[in-house]
Structure formats: structure tokens, C-alpha cells
Amino acid sequence: MSLYSGPVFEMAQTQFHTIADYIGIKADERDRLLLPKRAIAVSCPVRMDDGSVKVFQGYRVQHHLTLGPTKGGTRFSTSLDMGEVAALAVWMSWKCALAELPYGGAKGGVAIDPNAISKRELEAVSRRYMQEMIPFVGPHTDVMAPDMGTNEQVMAWFMDTYSMYQGRTVTEIVTGKPVASGGTAGRREATGRGVAFLVARAMQTIGLAASGATAIVQGFGNVGAIAAHELGQMGVRIVGVSDHTVAYYDPKGFDPEMLNAHVAQHGTLLGYSQQSIIDPAALLIQRCDILVPAAVERVITAANAGQLKCRILAEGANGPTTPEADGILDQHRDRIFIIPDILCNSGGVIVSYFEWVQDLQQFFWSETEVTDKLKTLLNRTYSKVLARAERDNVSNRTAAMAIGVEKVRDAKRLRGLFP
Ligand code: NAD
């Protein structure tokens, strides 16, 4: 059995072979492009608040080192396994290459429910995980960032732990840190802001006005909440939202600021409204102009793809659409415009790159500079993807992935096979 198993890795594998067929990658080049360079599994013993010691499984996958260090988020989630981490690392590689960032993809995390532990326990897990990773990461080897279940505070603990072992402050070891500890202005907002910016570009492309348009956002964390806020600012009405506790739908719309205030106070969306509760699965197939999955993988499947009633599918999450669903959506290309994940949520890694550059130089930019540079890169990438899709009459996803895979393939070919 492969080290990388499970439905998420199978999905990344299927997508890769589809692209490899399209751009004609030979059989003996495929494993070299797809299989991760390194996969690390660590046991993280942690003393819990009740005095007992629990061991949590940690992972890190570094997909390829051809273009520079690897870069990728850290996920704390109960069901995390090596296959999921590897798939996310592979997607990061195509995402970084598509945006022309000097990185390979990575991903990591701990199989733990971050909502079920205390803040002290979260700090202990975070520090122990980073401590176990010290031999394998570094500012020029592998740079971590936040992902589901982690945040700025966790990144500050990672940076502090790594720095304590080095005997000096190494801010460039992680991105997504608080601004007060070497982070960049605009990183926390970057992914959601990028999603909204690309939605605006897509609306221009298909001729849809923001004012009066409606959106449904699945997942109300870093990506979803900020995307909802930014869309709201553009005049889009947020008619549906959900998180892991509850889903709401109301054609009259929700105020993103009030939803945010509720989450800030209660931790989740639960209890915000009694009247608007809807089955979470049904939320995705309600009528709206813009559907933003911003939570977990594999939520748009063969079972619901044919029932989507949106005009723009903006993939804030990584891997929300299965290949089977993609096949169905491809038949409706004229009806549903897809902003594929490796483009749609790339604002996060783009501003992480800006943060890394600023930390290496110890020269910091204003939020306006960061956001302007972010928009420039997203604009360039969006145009590239659309031009390729049109040229070859392929989907936006195929175009985006092909550009990413080709860049890595070309770099590997030019560097040759060592020794
Ligand atoms: P987060 O932990 O801040 O928030 C996740 C949200 O999703 C929470 O509101 C949670 O309750 C909700 N959720 C979890 N399971 C759900 C389910 N089954 N149905 C509905 N909601 C559910 O995480 P995040 O950083 O916002 O990441 C969300 C997605 O975006 C992930 O796929 C992640 O890989 C991707 N992403 C994040 C970033 C980033 O910068 N944070 C960058 C690129 C991609």
C-alpha cells in the first residue's frame, strides 16, 4: 500500500494525470512530478491540563525542492492523515508555480481537534510540533503558514520555539504571524481578500454587477469570514453562511459584520439565528450568484454538482470539488464560471511570500503596498488562466493546473537528474 492513501490524495492524483495527459507528460516523468520529495511523521507527546500525557500524530510533506524552499500551511484537524497532507502539498506546488513564486509546495499538521483543547494545551501541542520539525524545516528549506485550525497565535508560538533553539529571532521561519512579531500587514486578510478580488474579476468576465448579486459562503473562518466581509463591501448580499456547527440561509441576506461579532463572542455561528437554519448540504444548492466553499475538501461531488444554482464557483478552500463533480461542471461551463482553488485562494501564499521577503530583508511594507502588489499578481495570474482556457478550450481548472505543472516540469528538466 502506498504511504499516501485515502480519497484526498486519490483526488490530487486523478487531477494530476488528467493534466499530464492534456500536456503530454511521459509516463517516466509522472512519478517524479507527483510523488512528494519528503514525508515526515512525528509523535508529539503533550501534557494535558488534567496531568495525563497524550501523544498526537504530526505530519509534514515537502512536495518538491526544485524551485526553492517548500511553503505551505499547518492544519490542526482530527481526521488529518499523511494522504490528505500530501494532497494539500501537491496542490500547493501547482499554486506556487502558477503564481510564479519561488517555492515548492508543502503542508503539515497535527491530528487533533483544536476546539476540544484549552489554550495552554494548544500552545503545548504547537510548540512540541515545531520542536519535532526543527531538523526538517528552515527559512531556506521549508516555511510554514496557518491553515485550518491554526492561526496567527500558533504561528507566533512556532516562530518563538524555532528561535529559542537557534538562539536568535528567526521571523522568516513561518508566515502568517501577528504583525507585532514580524508578520506583514494584510496577511490575515489576504486569502479572503484575494477570493473577493477574483470574484470581482469573474463578475466582469461574465457581465454580472456586484450590486444586487448574492453569495453563499461555506466555512466562516479566516478565508470565509473575510471573503464574506469583502463581498459585502462590494455590494454583494450574503444570503447563506455555514460553519462546522450550523448553516443559515435567508434570501434577505445577513450582515457579515454581525456574523463576525457573533463568532468573536461565541466562537462559532451557532445561536446566531433560529429562523434561518438550513440543512448544511442543502445550503450549497440554494440559488445564488456566487458560491464560495471555504471550509474542507470534497464538498462539491457527483451528488450535488448538477444541482448547483450559482453562476460563479469561487473555491476558497483547497480541493472542494471532486474530479467527478468537475466532469459534471465541465458540461455546464457556459452556465457556471469556476475560479479554481489554486488560483482563487492563492492570495494567502502570495502575501506569505511578501511576508517572507520582508522578514529576510527586515524592510517592511505598508498594507496598501501589500494589497496593491497582491492585486497585481492575482490580475496577472487570472489573465494567464483565462487566456490558456480560451486558447485550448479547456476548463479554468485544467488551464490553471497545466500552467503550474508545466513550470515545475520545465524546471526539473532544466536542472536534470542528479547524480
Ligand atoms: P479556519 O480554521 O480559519 O476556518 C475553517 C472554517 O470552516 C470554520 O468556520 C469551520 O467551522 C468551518 N468548517 C469546518 N468544517 C466544515 C464543514 N464540514 N462545513 C462547513 N464549515 C466547516 O480555516 P481557513 O484558514 O479559513 O481555511 C479554510 C479553507 O481554506 C481550507 O481548505 C484551507 O486549506 C483553505 N486555505 C486557507 C488559507 C489561509 O490563508 N488560511 C489559504 C489558502 C487556502
Side-chain angles (χ1 to χ4, degrees):
M1 198 180 86
S2 162
L3 182 58
Y4 313 108
S5 54
V8 190
F9 191 73
E10 275 168 30
M11 183 174 148
Q13 203 166 10
T14 305
Q15 288 175 338
F16 171 75
H17 286 296
T18 304
I19 301 304
D21 290 342
Y22 156 55
I23 58 178
I25 296 183
K26 295 194 299 271
D28 67 350
E29 239 181 341
R30 293 190 182 201
D31 280 355
R32 194 170 163 223
L33 272 164
L34 178 67
L35 293 179
K37 174 58 69 186
R38 295 182 188 140
I40 301 133
V42 292
S43 300
C44 303
V46 172
R47 190 168 301 283
M48 307 305 282
D49 288 347
D50 65 4
S52 66
V53 173
K54 274 195 189 158
V55 177
F56 297 99
Q57 189 66 58
Y59 306 95
R60 186 80 185 161
V61 170
Q62 299 166 349
H63 178 231
H64 78 80
L65 302 155
T66 310
L67 290 162
T70 50
K71 183 87 193 74
T74 313
R75 179 172 287 195
F76 285 1
S77 122
T78 324
S79 60
L80 197 74
D81 60 27
M82 192 65 100
E84 182 178 1
V85 173
L88 290 161
V90 169
W91 288 327
M92 273 303 284
S93 283
W94 315 144
K95 190 188 301 183
C96 292
L98 173 65
E100 299 184 26
L101 306 181
Y103 295 135
K107 209 76 178 193
V110 180
I112 190 169
D113 179 358
N115 301 311
I117 55 176
S118 70
K119 188 168 179 199
R120 192 208 61 81
E121 289 167 336
L122 180 65
E123 178 172 355
V125 174
S126 304
R127 288 189 181 277
R128 185 65 194 220
Y129 172 72
M130 175 45 105
Q131 184 184 332
E132 298 292 347
M133 284 294 153
I134 285 176
F136 311 106
V137 299
H140 296 284
T141 312
D142 183 11
V143 182
M144 295 182 185
D147 190 75
M148 261 179 63
T150 61
N151 56 23
E152 288 184 345
Q153 175 61 76
V154 172
M155 295 307 113
W157 290 326
F158 280 179
M159 188 274 277
D160 182 69
T161 304
Y162 187 86
S163 297
M164 286 297 127
Y165 277 84
Q166 303 301 318
R168 65 189 174 90
T169 297
V170 190
T171 51
E172 60 273 25
I173 182 61
V174 292
T175 61
K177 299 176 294 295
V179 175
S181 54
T184 180
R187 170 59 184 91
R188 192 163 47 82
E189 298 81 4
T191 312
R193 200 171 263 171
V195 169
F197 177 78
L198 290 165
V199 166
R201 291 288 279 117
M203 288 198 289
Q204 281 167 358
T205 303
I206 66 167
L208 177 70
S211 155
T214 55
I216 292 175
V217 181
Q218 182 197 44
F220 209 72
N222 177 274
V223 180
I226 290 171
H229 164 81
E230 296 278 325
L231 289 170
Q233 295 288 305
M234 285 158 43
V236 174
R237 193 155 28 102
I238 310 298
V239 294
V241 283
S242 70
D243 68 5
H244 69 284
T245 61
V246 71
Y248 300 121
Y249 178 75
D250 182 349
K252 290 198 291 297
F254 299 95
D255 179 347
E257 312 326 313
M258 284 172 66
L259 292 167
N260 263 316
H262 182 89
V263 172
Q265 194 181 350
H266 303 281
T268 67
L269 288 171
L270 196 64
Y272 181 79
S273 157
Q274 287 309 319
Q275 299 81 43
S276 325
I277 294 177
I278 186 172
D279 171 45
L283 178 68
L284 299 177
I285 56 171
Q286 298 306 305
R287 189 163 297 287
C288 64
D289 294 307
I290 305 145
L291 178 62
V292 186
V296 289
E297 301 94 27
R298 301 169 61 242
V299 292
I300 316 274
T301 65
N304 62 9
Q307 300 172 61
L308 298 190
K309 296 178 192 73
C310 59
R311 295 182 62 194
I312 296 171
L313 175 61
E315 296 182 340
N318 286 306
T321 306
T322 66
E324 297 76 29
D326 240 349
I328 296 166
L329 291 172
D330 216 22
Q331 294 161 21
H332 302 286
R333 235 191 273 164
D334 51 337
R335 190 166 62 80
I336 300 180
F337 183 95
I338 300 183
I339 314 173
D341 52 0
I342 65 166
L343 168 62
C344 193
N345 65 38
S346 64
V349 71
I350 289 172
V351 175
S352 273
Y353 166 62
F354 296 161
E355 181 174 337
W356 180 70
V357 167
Q358 291 171 74
D359 283 339
L360 287 170
Q361 300 184 345
Q362 289 296 299
F363 179 65
F364 291 91
W365 314 342
S366 71
E367 184 160 352
T368 309
E369 281 176 278
V370 169
T371 306
D372 286 352
K373 285 183 165 65
L374 167 66
K375 288 179 179 171
T376 304
L377 250 76
L378 288 176
N379 238 338
R380 179 181 77 187
T381 314
Y382 180 86
S383 300
K384 249 182 357 186
V385 169
L386 254 66
R388 175 70 176 255
E390 197 177 334
R391 187 194 82 184
D392 289 359
N393 190 24
V394 291
S395 69
N396 291 343
R397 187 186 318 285
T398 299
M401 290 187 72
I403 296 168
V405 172
E406 275 169 355
K407 181 165 161 100
V408 180
R409 178 201 60 187
D410 294 350
K412 280 190 185 290
R413 279 184 184 169
L414 286 164
R415 285 186 57 164
L417 192 58
F418 179 86

